[in-house]
Amino acid sequence: MTLRSTAIALVSAALLLSSGCSILPESEPATLYRLPSSDIQPVTSDSMTTRQRLAVAAPQTGHLLSSNRILVYPEGNIVNVYEGARWQENAPVLLQSRLITGLQQSRLFASVGSDSLPSELLLLSELRHFQSDYATRPPTVKVQLDVQLVSTQNRASIATQSFTTSAQSISTDIPDVVDAFGAASDELTEQLVNWLANQQEATID
């Protein structure tokens, strides 16, 4: 290559970069999903609502579940994620929001919010499973959450429990799988509400 042709090639490359053009293929933007909305029925009358405030911390979890990727077990011991699909928030924050909403609707506590707000009680948890599994076809969504109710005054543990729920999707389409995530999360929220109601009754007794 001559000196002139080398110079032309360098100038062309510089123009290509400065114009923002790229010869690399552009990746398709991911579709963002949220959990389907639902209503949790109140489990107590307003007169029975405790005066205590409850804070719900975002669940702790491993690195695979700490992102906004939608986890799937396609077969055997293989772990993967859905291509082109994401949660609108990281999975722990997504579930935290669902739990807070459900507990607010239950009217068990004077107030329910995140752990950034003042409270008398704190709900800590670890998210063990939040994925779809092709052990069945269509896949079944599994959610497992280990919880601990703690007093914020002395950090003493009041009670612990583990909840596991599942819901089968009506098809392999991602929107239907997301609906199954919503159903399994709703069932878990209802179980949590009932468990907390029992803790209140035990305290009153």
Side-chain angles (χ1 to χ4, degrees), residues 18-19 33 37 52 121 137 150 167 194:
S18 63
S19 65
Y33 290 93
S37 60
Q52 291 180 309
L121 297 172
R137 287 186 178 271
V150 175
N194 291 329

Side-chain angles (χ1 to χ4, degrees), residues 6 21 25-26 49 141 156:
T6 301
C21 297
E26 295 184 3
T49 300
V141 167

Side-chain angles (χ1 to χ4, degrees), residues 54-192:
L54 176 69
V56 180
Q60 299 295 312
T61 191
H63 74 279
L64 283 177
L65 286 176
S66 61
S67 73
N68 67 341
R69 304 298 295 267
I70 304 178
L71 203 63
V72 55
Y73 293 177
E75 60 178 329
N77 296 320
I78 299 175
V79 180
N80 212 329
V81 294
Y82 283 106
E83 190 69 29
R86 302 282 191 280
W87 294 120
Q88 66 172 359
E89 299 175 291
N90 289 349
V93 177
L94 197 76
L95 188 58
Q96 177 194 28
S97 298
R98 171 52 56 91
L99 296 179
I100 290 175
T101 299
L103 288 165
Q104 288 173 340
Q105 294 171 346
S106 74
R107 300 178 188 172
L108 276 175
F109 301 93
S111 67
V112 181
S114 71
D115 55 340
S116 63
L117 300 175
S119 66
E120 289 72 45
L121 297 172
L122 174 63
L123 188 72
L124 302 174
S125 62
E126 180 181 2
L127 185 59
R128 302 280 299 279
H129 291 283
F130 196 71
Q131 81 279 339
S132 69
D133 193 330
Y134 274 79
T136 62
R137 287 186 178 271
T140 295
V141 167
K142 180 180 179 181
V143 180
Q144 181 179 347
L145 188 72
D146 299 341
V147 304
Q148 181 178 36
L149 185 63
V150 175
S151 169
T152 58
Q153 294 180 349
N154 54 17
R155 305 297 290 186
S157 175
I158 299 172
T160 61
Q161 186 61 276
S162 181
F163 301 97
T164 302
T165 60
S166 61
Q168 188 170 11
S169 175
I170 63 174
S171 80
T172 59
D173 295 339
I174 293 180
D176 290 332
V177 174
V178 168
D179 286 342
F181 271 100
S185 300
D186 285 346
E187 183 181 346
L188 185 143
T189 303
E190 291 178 1
Q191 290 183 12
L192 175 63

Side-chain angles (χ1 to χ4, degrees), residues 1-15:
M1 180 179 291
T2 65
L3 183 61
R4 177 181 174 81
S5 60
T6 301
I8 293 175
L10 291 173
V11 171
S12 298
L15 289 174

